[in-house]
Amino acid sequence: MTDASPRGFPRANGYLHIGHAKSICLNFGLARDFGGVTHLRFDDTNPTKEEEEYVQSILQDVRWLGFDWGEHLYYASDYFGQIYEWRSS
């Protein structure tokens, strides 16, 4: 395997727990070990219910675990229009 590009997909509606930390380490670790990058995408399927406090906490925790997503920070809600178009075609 080369150029692995997994994605982290936390929901921005709470603080991370040990299962999230395990997944983050696995995804970011695989990308690091195989020369890829991890795309950190928040699965904010209902952005009106999610708090900026949780987003900032998750970003801080991922950094504390020793990982960085660089320019690859995304939100699922940014793509709702595109997803709707795919579904409608």
Side-chain angles (χ1 to χ4, degrees):
M1 180 190 313
T2 61
D3 193 25
S5 296
R7 63 173 177 79
F9 49 93
R11 296 192 69 141
N13 61 358
Y15 300 107
L16 297 182
H17 56 69
I18 193 70
H20 290 116
K22 182 177 179 180
S23 176
I24 289 165
C25 290
L26 176 67
N27 283 288
F28 279 90
L30 284 171
R32 178 197 57 220
D33 294 348
F34 292 98
V37 297
T38 299
H39 295 208
L40 182 59
R41 188 202 73 200
F42 284 99
D43 189 11
D44 60 336
T45 53
N46 189 357
T48 61
K49 298 253 183 195
E50 286 150 21
E51 305 278 337
E52 183 63 22
E53 172 185 352
Y54 298 132
V55 171
Q56 293 308 313
S57 175
I58 291 168
L59 297 175
Q60 180 180 354
D61 289 347
V62 172
R63 286 188 186 107
W64 182 83
L65 288 167
F67 301 109
D68 188 1
W69 50 90
E71 62 187 37
H72 302 286
L73 176 60
Y74 307 100
Y75 296 84
S77 60
D78 293 340
Y79 301 94
F80 283 173
Q82 179 65 54
I83 293 167
Y84 181 80
E85 284 181 32
W86 287 334
R87 184 218 163 272
S88 299
S89 59

